[in-house]
Amino acid sequence: MSTAAVTDKRPSTLRGASLPTWSPWAIAAGSIVLAVAIGLLGGLDSHVQWGLIAALLFVLGTYGIAARVEGRRQAKDRVATSFVWVAFVVAVIPLVSLIWVTVARGVKVLDVYFLTHSMGVVADSEPGGGIYAAIIGSLEQVGLATVLGAPIGILTAIYLVEYGRGNLARAVTFFVDVMTGIPSIVAGLFILSLMLIFDMQPFGFAGSLALAILMVPVVVRSTEEMLKLVPNELREASLALGVPKWRTILKVVLPTSIGGITTGVMLAIARIAGETAPVLLLVFGNPFINNNPFEGAQASLPLYIYQQYSQSAGANAAYDRAWAASLTLIAFVMILNMVARGIARWKAPKTGR
């Protein structure tokens, strides 16, 4: 028998013992059982404490079992993975809890009548009324803010990526970074100061102006990143054919990145749809239907939620309406995010033939 044959039959020593694929689930289940037992024996009433104990036991148990079976080096890798899973669960639990509570309390009065009627003369302590005026106000205010903010943001991003050089580009980038962190109340106060200078009364378009200010930096940043992903070879090929730069941007760069740009705009819309502070200062709220955003106070969903909840002391009807309006607003934001994902997948570059 040759030496090569003997070598082939010899078991490999490079692969050590490893835990089965189901071991993380078993360790997690054991950690939860032990955490519940410790909580009951220790008299801990908070489920949050139980969860923290379970997370700690999961990390320690993962390291101990992995170090004994696979060695310390592999155990450190599994501990890092367990920290990622624990962070994911900690982030998901509040989100799931929020959605669960909102759905459970919001469905009490959420029906066709609630969506197609306004408060009118219905008192806050009385049942009835709806959010039709708030839906109309939110759609108009967010729509006008998008018409104003999206083009400005997209054109600013095009300037920074395609033309921006020197001090002006650095100044624009600096102010975009500053605007990204501006609180919404500051944008509302800025528009309010202009209204006081010109002696203007609250109206819906004023809220749109404040929302547009909040929307612009989000659109600029998202569009800028999408434009940077367009390969320079496409630009160079177009310019080599004698196509002007503006036409290259219009016909090559923008169509290539339109999916990501649209997604960024949708996410910016979802971000401003729930702003309350600017609307509270500038739009003022209106229980009656006002379809004209350029004259008179208007309602909006975030403002409606705030007003109903702030006046719900001793009034279960206002409390239920606030939760139902919150559920409607969450559904609106979720629909926008789903539309953004659909557009991104539809417009994504095709990798195969």
Side-chain angles (χ1 to χ4, degrees), residues 15 25 42 45 64 72 93 125 151 155 195 213-214 223 240 244 249 257 266-268 288 312 342:
R15 177 180 295 180
W25 299 100
D45 298 329
R72 292 186 177 181
I93 287 177
S125 59
L155 293 175
M195 293 174 59
I213 294 175
L214 300 174
T223 304
I249 296 172
S257 57
M266 288 290 184
L267 295 178
F288 298 94
S312 62

Side-chain angles (χ1 to χ4, degrees), residues 154-168:
I154 293 173
L155 293 175
T156 303
I158 292 175
Y159 166 75
L160 292 176
V161 175
E162 303 294 337
Y163 297 98
R165 301 292 184 274
N167 295 329
L168 180 59

Side-chain angles (χ1 to χ4, degrees), residues 13-349:
T13 58
L14 296 177
R15 177 180 295 180
S18 61
L19 294 174
T21 56
W22 48 265
S23 59
W25 299 100
I27 296 173
S31 301
I32 293 173
V33 172
L34 287 176
V36 172
I38 293 173
L40 293 176
L41 294 176
L44 302 177
D45 298 329
S46 175
H47 291 174
V48 176
Q49 295 176 328
W50 294 10
L52 293 176
I53 295 173
L56 181 61
L57 292 175
F58 175 69
V59 174
L60 295 178
T62 298
Y63 179 79
I65 295 174
R68 186 174 184 83
V69 177
E70 301 177 334
R72 292 186 177 181
R73 185 174 183 178
Q74 187 65 22
K76 293 178 181 179
D77 178 75
R78 288 189 176 273
V79 166
T81 304
S82 65
F83 271 119
V84 173
W85 277 105
V86 169
F88 170 75
V89 172
V90 170
V92 166
I93 287 177
L95 176 61
V96 174
S97 176
L98 172 64
I99 295 176
W100 175 265
V101 172
T102 305
V103 171
R105 297 183 177 181
V107 296
K108 293 181 179 179
V109 297
L110 184 60
D111 52 18
V112 176
Y113 179 88
F114 182 73
L115 296 174
T116 57
H117 287 75
S118 300
M119 292 301 296
V121 295
V122 177
D124 294 325
S125 59
E126 298 177 355
I131 58 172
Y132 180 76
I135 293 175
I136 295 297
S138 288
L139 291 177
E140 291 182 349
Q141 294 159 26
V142 173
L144 290 172
T146 304
V147 171
L148 294 173
I152 295 175
I154 293 173
L155 293 175
T156 303
I158 292 175
Y159 166 75
L160 292 176
V161 175
E162 303 294 337
Y163 297 98
R165 301 292 184 274
N167 295 329
L168 180 59
R170 286 192 291 269
V172 172
T173 302
F174 171 76
F175 282 111
V176 168
D177 292 337
V178 172
M179 289 177 64
T180 304
I182 286 179
S184 59
I185 190 67
V186 176
L189 288 173
F190 172 71
I191 302 298
L192 180 61
S193 64
L194 297 178
M195 293 174 59
L196 294 176
I197 291 173
F198 294 100
D199 194 20
M200 303 173 68
Q201 298 298 319
F203 61 111
F205 185 66
S208 299
L209 293 175
L211 296 179
I213 294 175
L214 300 174
M215 183 180 187
V216 167
V218 180
V219 176
V220 171
R221 280 287 165 250
S222 60
T223 304
E224 190 177 1
E225 294 302 321
M226 292 301 104
L227 294 177
K228 288 179 180 178
L229 293 177
V230 178
N232 284 329
E233 289 78 5
L234 295 178
R235 298 181 176 90
E236 295 170 356
S238 178
L239 295 173
L241 295 175
V243 179
K245 189 168 184 177
W246 68 269
R247 195 171 182 85
T248 299
I249 296 172
L250 188 63
K251 296 294 185 180
V252 177
V253 177
L254 289 180
T256 305
S257 57
I258 189 63
I261 293 174
T262 306
T263 302
V265 173
M266 288 290 184
L267 295 178
I269 295 173
R271 182 248 189 274
I272 65 173
E275 291 292 345
T276 307
V279 180
L280 178 62
L281 288 174
L282 307 172
V283 181
F284 206 68
N286 190 350
F288 298 94
I289 300 173
N290 179 12
N291 294 324
N292 186 3
F294 299 99
E295 183 180 359
Q298 268 192 321
S300 71
L301 280 173
L303 182 57
Y304 180 92
I305 296 168
Y306 169 76
Q307 291 175 337
Q308 292 296 312
Y309 190 81
S310 62
Q311 299 173 6
S312 62
N316 292 329
Y319 187 75
D320 293 339
R321 285 193 295 264
W323 280 107
S326 301
L327 180 58
T328 305
L329 184 59
I330 290 177
F332 175 69
V333 174
M334 290 180 64
I335 291 172
L336 284 179
N337 281 274
M338 293 174 61
V339 170
R341 289 180 177 273
I343 293 175
R345 181 172 297 183
W346 174 43
K347 291 295 184 178

